[in-house]
Amino acid sequence: MTKRIIVPKEIPTKELHQYIIGTVAPRPIAFVSTVDDHGVENLAPYSFFNAFSSNPPILVFSSNRKVTDNSTKDTLHNVRKTGEAVINMVSYNIVRQMSLASVEFPSEVSEFTKTGLTPVASDLVRPPSVLESPVNMECKVKDIITLGEHGGAGHLIICEVLRIKIAEEVFTNGKLDPHKLDLMGRMGRNYYVRASGAAVMEIYQSVTEIPLGFDGLPAHIRESTVLTGNEIAVLASLLQLPDSAELDRFYDERPDLKNLDNIHKHRVASSLIAEGKAAEALCLLM
Ligand SMILES: Cc1cc2nc3c(=O)[nH]c(=O)nc-3n(C[C@H](O)[C@H](O)[C@H](O)COP(=O)(O)O)c2cc1C
């Protein structure tokens, strides 16, 4: 793999911005509602956003100075004045309305009116929540950290979540269902990702039981020219190598696999891993 070297100080901010948003991706989108001190509603998407603590529950998004004219944004002005925000999560069904809200409408124009989204009164803060969003987080702004004075510089807006409202429709058997939540992520340029269906994968990894690790596998498995790094990692996640009794049981059940040559063993192991039969794949490779 040949790697391109990018030195931030040597390239224009606009170009650097694309490298950052195209590689630190996908990012969740905070669809932030605020009000100014006259009560005018504002709604804008921010994908320099994430969760940083569960206790206390802290979300942070960054409102950046515009690269074009170094000006700051309405959301920042509003949270400075009122100390409150609602972070609404963006699902597929509202992604284009979210995009519309990112337009630089004049400050006195409400993006709720422009996007057709419905403001509903929040319980604990003045900014309204977005009715059509599946998740509304009512927040108190704890701190604002200024990261610089030039175009592109962020202001970290540190929010403590006071109340979370989640649509009943996105639960299955009492648990959040990513397919029903159907959240959108922001990538570089105009790219987005839809986090449901085939894009969602489950990876089970116990963090308390100690697995074999790559170094616990025999060299011919670690250095396989057939298995991918991900496939070897599945084997390395097993807790132990099979003992001779397990190997006997395996070949009693699969005598057809006993006399395969090495390459074919690795190919069959790859298929077994894909079928979720990692322990059997490891027996075959031992
Ligand atoms: C998906 C998406 C993510 C965005 N993320 C950010 C961000 O993290 N920081 C930022 O300053 N602007 C971001 N923007 C641009 C703002 O939404 C845009 O400048 C908007 O007009 C700001 O509105 P405001 O002045 O009402 O706060 C994003 C735009 C989109 C479409």
Side-chain angles (χ1 to χ4, degrees), residues 1-285:
M1 205 187 282
T2 321
K3 290 190 175 157
R4 187 180 293 201
I5 311 282
I6 287 111
V7 182
K9 288 199 162 78
E10 290 176 1
I11 58 172
T13 306
K14 231 179 150 183
E15 201 182 317
L16 178 59
H17 180 68
Q18 283 307 325
Y19 283 121
I20 290 176
I21 69 168
T23 55
V24 184
R27 296 178 306 288
I29 304 167
F31 201 11
V32 185
S33 38
T34 54
V35 289
D36 70 10
D37 42 11
H38 303 293
V40 176
E41 297 158 352
N42 192 87
L43 183 61
Y46 285 87
S47 69
F48 282 4
F49 163 61
N50 223 308
F52 289 89
S53 166
S54 304
N55 182 22
I58 301 290
L59 309 181
V60 180
F61 66 94
S62 180
S63 183
N64 295 0
R65 286 179 176 276
K66 289 180 200 156
V67 179
T68 42
D69 61 5
N70 200 25
S71 60
T72 50
K73 300 185 180 181
D74 291 339
T75 301
L76 176 68
H77 308 156
N78 290 352
V79 293
R80 275 192 170 139
K81 284 183 198 143
T82 66
E84 293 179 340
V86 178
I87 294 182
N88 307 277
M89 299 308 296
V90 176
S91 52
Y92 173 75
N93 62 313
I94 58 168
V95 69
R96 288 187 184 269
Q97 284 162 295
M98 174 282 296
S99 173
L100 197 52
S102 71
V103 170
E104 289 176 27
F105 295 113
S107 300
E108 63 279 12
V109 169
S110 164
E111 285 84 2
F112 280 100
T113 312
K114 287 292 176 191
T115 60
L117 289 164
T118 315
V120 286
S122 301
D123 292 351
L124 305 173
V125 295
R126 277 161 292 171
S129 298
V130 176
L131 177 70
E132 293 83 356
S133 162
V135 184
N136 316 112
M137 313 247 195
E138 298 186 19
C139 301
K140 179 177 76 185
V141 175
K142 287 196 79 169
D143 204 356
I144 300 175
I145 299 175
T146 300
L147 300 177
E149 299 303 329
H150 301 295
H155 299 83
L156 299 185
I157 299 171
I158 302 177
C159 302
E160 177 166 356
V161 181
L162 306 177
R163 182 164 291 195
I164 306 175
K165 290 186 176 169
I166 306 176
E168 287 295 348
E169 291 81 357
V170 303
F171 288 91
T172 300
N173 299 329
K175 293 202 168 125
L176 282 171
D177 183 330
H179 302 285
K180 291 181 178 168
L181 254 175
D182 206 6
L183 294 173
M184 296 301 296
R186 179 87 198 272
M187 305 176 81
R189 289 157 59 203
N190 294 321
Y191 292 112
Y192 289 86
V193 63
R194 184 176 180 180
S196 62
V200 174
M201 70 188 279
E202 228 178 326
I203 298 176
Y204 173 76
Q205 182 74 58
S206 166
V207 287
T208 46
E209 295 165 318
I210 305 297
L212 288 166
F214 268 59
D215 59 335
L217 294 171
H220 75 276
I221 299 180
R222 283 200 313 267
E223 290 158 17
S224 171
T225 52
V226 175
L227 298 175
T228 64
N230 277 333
E231 288 171 330
I232 301 170
V234 172
L235 301 177
S237 299
L238 294 171
L239 300 184
Q240 58 199 24
L241 296 174
D243 58 21
S244 57
E246 269 173 274
L247 291 179
D248 289 345
R249 259 198 315 278
F250 173 71
Y251 283 115
D252 283 348
E253 281 167 26
R254 298 298 307 266
D256 54 312
L257 299 179
K258 193 153 195 174
N259 296 318
L260 288 180
D261 60 34
N262 261 337
I263 284 282
H264 284 96
K265 278 193 176 176
H266 282 237
R267 285 189 189 144
V268 175
S270 166
S271 310
L272 288 170
I273 292 167
E275 290 165 30
K277 298 176 181 166
E280 290 172 43
L282 190 55
C283 284
L284 178 62
L285 296 173

